[in-house]
Amino acid sequence: MDREEGKDKIEMEKSGGGGGGGCLCDDAVTEILVRLPSESVLRCRAVCKRWRRITTERSFLASHSARRQREMVVTTRSLTVSSIPLSLDAADATAWRGGGGGFLCDPTQRFENGTASLSSLLYSLDGLLVFQQRPGLYIVCNPVTRQWINLPVLAPEPCFTAFPCGFYLHESSGEYRLLCHGQLKSSGEYRLLSSPSSSEWNDYYYILACGGANNQPRRLSRAPADRPIIMGYEQPVAHGEILHWFSFHPRAISTGKMLAFHTGSETFRLMSRPPGVTEAALLELDGSLCAAAITPGVVACRLHIWVLQDYKSESWTLRLRMEVPPPRRVSCTFVVSRAISAGEGEGEGSSSILVGDPYCPVVMLVDLEEKRVSKEIHFRCTPSFLVFRESLLPHAFFQLPRCPEVRPFKFPD
């Protein structure tokens, strides 16, 4: 080896290119690695310094996450959490028939006497899952990077109990936050179940931020002075910076309106529902806030899709009306309390939606353009209607110490 060849080899080794695609430029290597599954990307970091540098850059991680398939999270019969394709392809039948599809994590603590303590799945956002271990104790988990951490503890101190409302990304700060409705300890259990005068209510909204200042709950405004709230809040639907609840919120019955929360200004407002609709599932389609409502019938149900045509004036327009045949082989009434876009673009340009209810074993894939039910799936696991997309993006809050009460999570081997 002459002096020039030796010099070239040293330069390649310094750059980390030896054995790691050194003949390719960074852009070419990136285009190859960004198409790999998450597990393969993690293994590739051990190949050489160059690949590790490329696969840990935030631009690479964001692009890699955007290429991952959108899936729906389900809870299996064994109380583990898995994901299944939104397409509900027959080739993936083992996933929705009880096999659970892609195993994500096991948040359940099992005891020798055969009992188990379950952490309830609440939300999914940007590759993060949120669980409730008990009222007031919430866990954020990234099943791909196998990390989990608790949010600031809300109960039993400073609140007697708490109801999770919604999980979101606060755009200006970059913080992931959980909005909660908390009852102060002085209000007691009696007021949880009864209806005292409004002057006796002692409820507030709280913000629990991942890695927030002092790792303490932050109190916002007084919570709505309506009862009961024992059923809690439904999964909200985000449209822009605003979270929306259609019918499961404290003021739904007394006002007949939706509740909206602006995550930037941290203010609440009531909004009009579609005319004559009291129960519906909110979702985002083609950049607009929509509501899917089902009307029961003797032979078939009718599915109505409403669009909030003018958000400022709260004007709703009926986009579609179609008949939905009753579910086959089951005697239950088909209920639509959840709906999500089945496309890959977070509601952009998709003509198919998934509709159903977590407590009904039937989920339907509806083609809105052809006005027909494409597939009818009978689940043996519990569909959450939460969309999950793998993400390897790092979060500093996972490095914080956990609350001693937090139970360990199990992940794929």
Side-chain angles (χ1 to χ4, degrees):
M1 179 186 299
D2 59 27
R3 180 178 295 180
E4 289 301 320
E5 290 177 343
K7 184 177 179 181
D8 291 343
K9 183 177 180 181
I10 291 173
E11 289 300 321
M12 188 190 307
E13 290 176 349
K14 284 183 177 179
S15 67
C23 61
L24 300 175
C25 65
D26 280 6
D27 288 345
V29 174
T30 298
E31 282 300 309
I32 295 171
L33 297 180
V34 79
R35 288 170 165 78
L36 296 178
S38 299
E39 296 81 359
S40 299
V41 171
L42 294 174
R43 295 191 190 101
C44 285
R45 292 177 179 177
V47 172
C48 63
K49 293 180 180 178
R50 184 188 182 202
W51 283 20
R52 181 172 182 81
R53 171 179 57 80
I54 291 174
T55 57
T56 53
E57 291 176 350
R58 291 196 70 87
S59 59
F60 172 89
L61 296 174
S63 178
H64 181 267
S65 177
R67 287 177 175 270
R68 298 309 95 199
Q69 183 181 28
R70 293 175 75 235
E71 299 178 309
M72 179 167 65
V73 187
V74 298
T75 301
T76 68
R77 286 184 166 185
S78 59
L79 303 182
T80 61
V81 176
S82 298
S83 60
I84 62 173
L86 288 177
S87 62
L88 302 183
D89 288 333
D92 303 300
T94 54
W96 41 262
R97 284 179 178 165
F103 173 56
L104 295 177
C105 63
D106 182 359
T108 303
Q109 184 179 21
R110 294 169 173 79
F111 304 100
E112 293 182 356
N113 61 3
T115 61
S117 181
L118 173 66
S119 293
S120 303
L121 175 65
L122 298 177
Y123 310 108
S124 174
L125 178 65
D126 298 341
L128 301 175
L129 301 178
V130 180
F131 295 87
Q132 176 178 271
Q133 182 171 311
R134 60 164 177 76
L137 179 57
Y138 308 101
I139 316 298
V140 177
C141 163
N142 185 334
V144 178
T145 60
R146 305 185 178 199
Q147 295 172 296
W148 73 99
I149 189 68
N150 61 280
L151 288 161
V153 180
L154 190 56
E157 295 288 348
C159 296
F160 166 74
T161 191
F163 301 88
C165 302
F167 187 64
Y168 62 94
L169 175 63
H170 187 253
E171 291 189 2
S172 61
S173 68
E175 288 182 340
Y176 285 94
R177 297 177 175 180
L178 179 66
L179 174 69
C180 288
H181 179 146
Q183 292 186 310
L184 297 187
K185 199 165 186 178
S186 59
S187 64
E189 186 175 6
Y190 168 76
R191 290 189 178 91
L192 174 66
L193 301 175
S194 62
S195 301
S197 64
S198 59
S199 61
E200 296 178 354
W201 289 332
N202 205 10
D203 295 18
Y204 287 88
Y205 283 114
Y206 287 82
I207 294 292
L208 312 182
C210 296
N214 304 320
N215 200 34
Q216 295 294 322
R218 178 167 60 87
R219 193 163 79 177
L220 294 181
S221 59
R222 290 289 292 264
D226 293 70
R227 286 295 190 273
I229 62 169
I230 192 65
M231 294 297 293
Y233 291 67
E234 66 196 89
Q235 293 174 6
V237 170
H239 180 63
E241 292 186 78
I242 304 176
L243 302 181
H244 303 82
W245 297 265
F246 192 87
S247 56
F248 278 89
H249 62 86
R251 302 192 66 183
I253 297 176
S254 63
T255 66
K257 293 191 173 185
M258 303 191 308
L259 179 66
F261 173 69
H262 195 292
T263 60
S265 61
E266 297 185 337
T267 55
F268 292 87
R269 64 178 283 205
L270 292 170
M271 296 183 63
S272 298
R273 296 171 178 168
V277 179
T278 58
E279 294 184 5
L282 292 173
L283 73 160
E284 212 177 23
L285 282 175
D286 299 324
S288 298
L289 186 66
C290 299
I294 198 83
T295 302
V298 178
V299 179
C301 303
R302 280 192 174 182
L303 177 66
H304 301 79
I305 304 295
W306 294 83
V307 181
L308 189 55
Q309 201 71 38
D310 189 329
Y311 192 92
K312 192 172 183 179
S313 64
E314 303 178 15
S315 174
W316 291 87
T317 302
L318 184 62
R319 168 178 167 176
L320 176 145
R321 181 190 291 115
M322 59 172 284
E323 287 195 352
V324 177
R328 301 186 301 270
R329 303 191 305 275
V330 293
S331 58
C332 69
T333 302
F334 183 60
V335 178
V336 175
S337 68
R338 308 278 175 85
I340 54 176
S341 166
E344 284 298 317
E346 304 288 353
E348 294 287 343
S350 174
S351 63
S352 296
I353 62 173
L354 285 172
V355 295
D357 181 87
Y359 300 103
C360 177
V362 180
V363 173
M364 292 188 181
L365 181 66
V366 179
D367 190 315
L368 300 181
E369 287 187 356
E370 298 185 7
K371 295 185 178 182
R372 66 182 183 88
V373 176
S374 303
K375 293 174 185 174
E376 178 184 312
I377 307 301
H378 294 250
F379 277 83
R380 292 181 184 172
C381 48
T382 304
S384 68
F385 292 88
L386 294 173
V387 176
F388 177 78
R389 195 198 294 267
E390 293 182 356
S391 175
L392 293 171
L393 281 166
H395 298 287
F397 54 77
F398 281 125
Q399 308 306 318
L400 297 173
R402 301 189 193 106
C403 170
E405 188 182 345
V406 174
R407 298 191 291 264
F409 276 52
K410 297 177 183 178
F411 300 99
D413 295 331

